[in-house]
Amino acid sequence: MPENVVHIAKEKTTTFIDRVKEIVPNANLSLCLTCGACSSGCPASGLENMDPRKFLRLAVLGLDEEITEHPWVWMCSMCYRCTHACPMKIDIAALIYEARKLWPREKRPKGILGSCDMALKNDSCSAMGTPQEDFRFVVQDMLEEVRANQPGWEELQAPIDKQGAHFFLSQNSREPVTEPEEMVPLWKILHIVGADWTYSCTGWGGENYCMFLADDEGWKKITNTTLQTAKNLGCKVYLNTECGHSTFSVWKGAQKHKIDTGLEIAPMVQYYARWIREGKLKVNADWNKDLKVKFTVQDPCNQVRKGWGDALADDLRFVTIACVGEENFIDTYPNKSNNYCCGGGGGYLQSGYREARLHYGRLKHEQIMKTGASYVVTPCHNCHAQIHELGEHYGHGKYRTVHLWTIIALSLGILAENERTYLGDDLREVNLPGY
């Protein structure tokens, strides 16, 4: 008999796999063919001597001691690419989510835990703890500044708690807290298309780290707070800011926690594309005809592979190409639902495992470098932060990350000088508004 045989000596009445089967759809892990497709395209494979196939087999064999409090569950971004590749469509990401619960709450990564608890402590649902009155002040202050200093925008609106507005708009905390000028291009876009929209001081925070923490009650509370706020205002569409995990957390949270408000929960990119097709956003790529600045895009896992699929990925490309020119767009390979995760999701940015996160992201960096693009359009805040860091760490600043709203506003000739934080010197003065 071979010496390296794993012996399962004792019987167990309750195991992790039994619990998972009761909770998780498509959790018949016995369907696993051990083909390794899940691990072959997983950027987390090899970290902490673990990969999706190995983790799954440990669970199937009932080796709970091997997976309880294993750090790899925080290095897997739950991007769902393993399931996308799996011929049996086993939901390994859901397995990882449940495995995170094996950690005592107080021992889970402090960054994720802190952001979850901060959002639970305030009605704004901001993971950065921004109080309701501070959000109101920042929005009104920025609005007054634009009206006073940017000719042609004297009638710009940024309503808060407007009853009966069609769209309820979420906002990632990073903008009002650290870069409020980044909110303005989006306001301008909404103004141009004539959108009837509103913020609220309650539930405006467009992030949900309780989902990353595997805190079901916290995830439910934040999702319910923001959706009920939109419903109480009489809104019809919950329109997510350019934030992948925020979009997914609200959309999936409503399903998982059975929160029925009758609201359409929509990603912003989808509406950008609709407004361009309807002729409401008259974007123009002429500014880039001679410059020939090259762009590529990042497909946020939470919006594309885990959410709206290739239809949203196609919309992302349609909008980008309309703004920069088809000849100036270079796609990544693989792409769309088959794209690689950048390593910014799953709470990775706040997990404390920076070295592992950068190693995870190297595959994404190499993918971007092969395009030769100068800019990566990232309609997701976590993707934006991670890819920016990858570019600095591995690429020595050879590419930059940029929000989609920035490129739309640039193509429309409405992007002011102070709204160009993420543009390089090559675009710093291109297509400035003609005041």
Side-chain angles (χ1 to χ4, degrees):
M1 180 181 291
E3 295 181 2
N4 297 326
V5 175
V6 175
H7 294 279
I8 305 175
K10 58 181 180 178
E11 295 183 3
K12 297 182 180 181
T13 56
T14 304
T15 63
F16 172 64
I17 190 61
D18 294 328
R19 191 176 74 181
V20 169
K21 286 180 179 179
E22 292 176 1
I23 299 171
V24 180
N26 302 324
N28 186 358
L29 306 189
S30 297
L31 293 174
C32 175
L33 304 175
T34 68
C35 65
C38 56
S39 300
S40 64
C42 169
S45 287
L47 295 172
E48 290 292 328
N49 193 32
M50 188 61 70
D51 60 60
R53 178 173 59 174
K54 184 176 180 180
F55 197 90
L56 190 153
R57 298 315 302 167
L58 290 171
V60 169
L61 293 171
L63 299 175
D64 292 9
E65 295 88 350
E66 301 294 328
I67 60 177
T68 298
E69 296 189 41
H70 196 293
W72 191 77
V73 300
W74 306 105
M75 298 174 188
C76 162
S77 67
M78 299 184 292
C79 78
Y80 213 69
R81 196 176 192 275
C82 52
T83 298
H84 179 75
C86 175
M88 307 309 290
K89 300 304 175 189
I90 298 173
D91 195 343
I92 299 174
L95 178 72
I96 298 300
Y97 181 87
E98 293 301 320
R100 290 185 176 192
K101 294 180 183 178
L102 297 177
W103 288 57
R105 195 177 192 277
E106 68 277 6
K107 292 181 68 174
R108 298 174 199 179
K110 288 183 173 57
I112 304 175
L113 177 62
S115 291
C116 170
D117 286 348
M118 189 66 73
L120 292 173
K121 289 177 182 176
N122 66 84
D123 288 336
S124 69
C125 296
S126 165
M128 297 180 76
T130 310
Q132 294 166 284
E133 58 273 17
D134 285 9
F135 179 67
R136 184 184 296 276
F137 172 79
V138 170
V139 169
Q140 293 179 343
D141 186 58
M142 281 305 305
L143 184 63
E144 290 173 8
E145 182 178 322
V146 174
R147 286 173 168 176
N149 298 317
Q150 295 191 32
W153 294 104
E154 292 81 5
E155 302 301 318
L156 184 66
Q157 300 293 320
I160 298 176
D161 294 321
K162 178 183 176 183
Q163 193 70 39
H166 185 74
F167 295 105
F168 178 94
L169 184 67
S170 67
Q171 186 72 57
N172 189 281
S173 294
R174 190 174 72 184
E175 280 87 46
V177 174
T178 63
E179 46 189 30
E181 67 283 346
E182 281 293 306
M183 295 189 289
V184 179
L186 182 54
W187 298 350
K188 291 176 177 178
I189 291 167
L190 294 170
H191 182 84
I192 287 173
V193 301
D196 180 16
W197 70 282
T198 188
Y199 285 130
S200 177
C201 285
T202 301
W204 61 265
E207 56 271 334
N208 194 327
Y209 279 85
C210 296
M211 177 181 70
F212 296 145
L213 192 68
D215 178 344
D216 282 333
E217 288 305 310
W219 180 4
K220 179 180 180 180
K221 180 180 178 181
I222 292 172
T223 302
N224 189 61
T225 297
T226 191
L227 284 174
Q228 292 299 335
T229 299
K231 180 181 179 180
N232 292 340
L233 285 171
C235 300
K236 303 298 182 185
V237 179
Y238 187 100
L239 189 58
N240 287 273
T241 186
E242 291 182 24
C243 182
H245 96 259
S246 166
T247 307
F248 179 80
S249 72
V250 176
W251 176 72
K252 189 66 175 180
Q255 299 171 36
K256 179 180 176 68
H257 303 298
K258 297 178 173 55
I259 304 170
D260 185 10
T261 59
L263 290 160
E264 175 193 346
I265 300 172
M268 182 67 73
V269 173
Q270 193 177 69
Y271 271 88
Y272 288 155
R274 179 183 300 186
W275 291 329
I276 291 174
R277 291 186 177 107
E278 291 174 349
K280 293 180 180 179
L281 272 180
K282 300 183 185 302
V283 296
N284 192 314
D286 286 350
W287 65 272
N288 202 23
K289 188 176 294 184
D290 296 327
L291 289 174
K292 301 186 186 308
V293 178
K294 304 304 180 186
F295 289 78
T296 190
V297 297
Q298 162 66 357
D299 296 292
C301 303
N302 280 310
Q303 292 186 38
V304 177
R305 183 163 47 244
K306 296 172 69 175
W308 285 259
D310 283 354
L312 186 63
D314 289 336
D315 279 345
L316 172 58
R317 284 155 179 77
F318 167 76
V319 174
T320 303
I321 289 170
C323 294
V324 308
E326 188 167 10
E327 68 280 9
N328 297 312
F329 175 77
I330 306 124
D331 213 341
T332 56
Y333 181 83
N335 52 47
K336 301 182 183 179
S337 291
N338 199 36
N339 205 348
Y340 296 123
C341 174
C342 67
Y348 223 151
L349 287 169
Q350 290 179 274
S351 69
Y353 297 105
R354 182 175 182 270
E355 184 177 343
R357 175 169 56 81
L358 291 174
H359 181 84
Y360 181 116
R362 184 157 196 153
L363 191 60
K364 171 58 60 179
H365 165 72
E366 291 170 354
Q367 186 187 34
I368 293 169
M369 288 296 290
K370 286 178 181 177
T371 69
S374 299
Y375 288 89
V376 186
V377 177
T378 54
C380 169
H381 283 68
N382 286 337
C383 292
H384 186 110
Q386 168 73 345
I387 293 175
H388 173 82
E389 188 171 356
L390 292 174
E392 293 297 317
H393 183 76
Y394 290 119
H396 308 291
K398 291 182 180 178
Y399 55 82
R400 303 177 71 91
T401 56
V402 62
H403 298 297
L404 187 51
W405 63 54
T406 302
I407 297 305
I408 293 173
L410 176 66
S411 74
L412 291 167
I414 61 172
L415 192 66
E417 289 183 77
N418 69 329
E419 296 159 13
R420 299 177 176 233
T421 303
Y422 295 105
L423 297 182
D425 292 339
D426 54 344
L427 297 181
R428 197 80 68 190
E429 297 181 359
V430 171
N431 217 25
L432 283 166
Y435 295 146

